[in-house]
Amino acid sequence: MKNILTLALLLYSFVTTAQQAELTALLKKENVTGIQLIYSKKGETTQYSLGLRQAGTTQAIDANTIFQAASLGKVVLAYTALRLHDQGRLDLDKSLLSYYPYPRLQNEPRAQKITARMVLGHTTGLPNWAGYPLAESWKTSALHLQFAPDSCWSYSGEGYVFLQKTLEHLTGKSLEQLAQQEVFGLLKMQNSSFIWQSRFDQNAAFGHDKAGQPTDVKRFAEPNGGFSLLTTAPDYHRFLQAVARGKGLRPATAKLLTTPANDANRCTTPLTPTDAHIAWACGVGLAATSHGPAQWHWGDNGDFRGFFMTFPDTKETLLFLTNSANGLRLTDDVLRLFVGPGQYQAMQWLSEEK
């Protein structure tokens, strides 16, 4: 028995060493400065923290290095909204303007039709961003629909901000307070926040452009459900495991994260063969992969990019965060390295977007 255990440990060590070597080679090939990656299957977890917090220094990334999660924060906002739905505070199919008369939509009569379900499924008809969302002028800029509500799929950070402002109005709490109450505290995500925390100064990653040059560390002063989540891969992996188990949600509500809310037929991209493999749930993408059904989402703040894909049937999760504009170039290779050869559809679908 002892010999079998020793052999198993040696084999595991060999596999992880080979994976790390290949992952390191991928980072070099795609000019990605640093990564936190977690792969788990049926409770067994492999974790890597590789590269540098800032190119040109010796500051190594570790498991507690703070990354911008970008749009992966949208999934946290979606989960928060579903928690409030279970508490009877949010009807997913009621006009959001009936809860809160969002000033930026006061001259857009079609916006009366927008519901939380449309926001979560990206069918509001709103643009991704009407302006640079860190500019002071953006906060009061007029917002206009590009498409009729619930007519087609069009990715929208503005929609998520609209939902965020509605939830803040309903509860009298900021998104940061709500997330701490409904998500971070519940799941013991101690290194996660939608706003900058002074403790992050000790171990935060810098962003990097496509040439691999450092950009900066953005210290978000206000929470934005579309892009301002700061977290670590261990924290966010804990969140994904909770989502996979439906923790904190009623069973019927948890199913909203695994069943299509719409077909994700894009407003500006003609149908392609890949569309048959993609749909959208209430807060996450769905993909019919060669490895089985999957949930997925990507994050892109320009100089920080990340991705996750979870496989309910095999209880597998792959998550990575990078501090690089080149981070998403890793996706298909990393999926094949950890999950196995196959067609995963998500990156092909994103590449087709017009």
Side-chain angles (χ1 to χ4, degrees):
M1 183 67 182
K2 184 178 179 181
N3 289 338
I4 292 174
L5 180 59
T6 301
L7 182 61
L9 289 172
L10 286 171
L11 181 61
Y12 175 77
S13 176
F14 174 78
V15 170
T16 55
T17 300
Q19 279 183 337
Q20 180 168 330
E22 191 161 346
L23 185 56
T24 300
L26 282 173
L27 295 183
K28 184 177 181 179
K29 175 188 172 188
E30 301 296 354
N31 196 16
V32 173
T33 308
I35 191 171
Q36 289 175 341
L37 181 147
I38 295 183
Y39 168 69
S40 64
K41 183 175 182 179
K42 297 180 180 177
E44 294 186 4
T45 299
T46 302
Q47 181 173 323
Y48 296 105
S49 299
L50 303 173
L52 299 172
R53 288 165 46 200
Q54 182 182 8
T57 73
T58 58
Q59 299 170 355
I61 284 170
D62 60 37
N64 294 315
T65 299
I66 303 299
F67 281 73
Q68 291 179 34
S71 287
L72 299 189
K74 290 184 174 74
V75 189
V76 175
L77 175 56
Y79 179 85
T80 302
L82 294 177
R83 294 259 297 160
L84 294 178
H85 168 68
D86 278 350
Q87 296 165 22
R89 306 174 80 175
L90 177 70
D91 185 330
L92 298 181
D93 296 306
K94 183 176 178 179
S95 169
L96 288 181
L97 285 175
S98 69
Y99 287 115
Y100 171 57
Y102 191 29
R104 296 178 63 211
L105 284 169
Q106 61 182 351
N107 295 319
E108 187 50 273
R110 294 182 296 171
Q112 288 288 346
K113 296 180 179 179
I114 296 174
T115 66
R117 194 184 302 271
M118 292 178 200
V119 170
L120 298 176
H122 292 290
T123 60
T124 62
L126 292 167
N128 188 15
W129 298 109
Y132 181 53
L134 291 179
E136 195 65 27
S137 58
W138 168 80
K139 298 177 185 177
T140 55
S141 62
L143 195 51
H144 297 287
L145 273 68
Q146 293 181 325
F147 311 99
D150 209 25
S151 62
C152 52
W153 190 95
S154 183
Y155 191 72
S156 178
E158 293 284 7
Y160 270 72
V161 172
F162 181 18
L163 177 59
Q164 171 188 336
K165 297 299 182 184
T166 303
L167 299 184
E168 290 176 336
H169 177 78
L170 282 172
T171 62
K173 297 179 179 179
S174 70
L175 173 60
E176 175 62 16
Q177 292 171 319
L178 276 173
Q180 292 291 347
Q181 173 184 302
E182 303 294 337
V183 188
F184 304 149
L186 175 72
L187 303 179
K188 297 181 172 56
M189 297 169 65
Q190 298 177 350
N191 288 321
S192 298
S193 176
F194 276 101
I195 56 175
W196 185 260
Q197 306 290 338
S198 58
R199 67 181 187 275
F200 294 166
D201 278 314
Q202 303 303 314
N203 196 6
F206 281 68
H208 294 81
D209 63 21
K210 290 184 177 181
Q213 295 302 305
T215 51
D216 57 7
V217 175
K218 287 188 172 64
R219 293 168 170 81
F220 300 119
E222 298 179 20
N224 187 302
F227 62 78
S228 75
L229 178 64
L230 299 151
T231 191
T232 64
D235 262 20
Y236 200 87
H237 179 261
R238 195 172 294 118
F239 169 67
L240 290 177
Q241 297 310 296
V243 169
R245 297 193 306 271
K247 181 175 180 177
L249 299 173
R250 294 178 180 175
T253 305
K255 286 182 180 178
L256 297 177
L257 289 160
T258 58
T259 54
N262 63 73
D263 292 334
N265 291 334
R266 295 165 285 188
C267 299
T268 57
T269 304
L271 284 174
T272 73
T274 319
D275 279 298
H277 302 281
I278 300 292
W280 218 261
C282 283
V284 292
L286 303 177
T289 78
S290 58
H291 199 68
Q295 297 165 294
W296 67 283
H297 211 290
W298 80 104
D300 180 357
N301 272 5
D303 52 357
F304 282 85
R305 303 196 185 195
F307 181 87
F308 75 77
M309 186 167 270
T310 65
F311 301 87
D313 289 356
T314 56
K315 295 183 171 55
E316 284 175 273
T317 298
L318 178 76
L319 160 71
F320 66 81
L321 304 175
T322 76
N323 59 341
S324 169
N326 300 321
L328 288 175
R329 293 182 185 177
L330 302 171
T331 306
D332 284 336
D333 285 331
V334 166
L335 281 164
R336 290 170 189 138
L337 176 60
F338 288 89
V339 182
Q343 298 298 319
Y344 294 98
Q345 309 299 342
M347 295 310 296
Q348 173 65 32
W349 190 76
L350 287 180
S351 73
E352 297 167 354
E353 184 72 13
K354 293 182 179 179

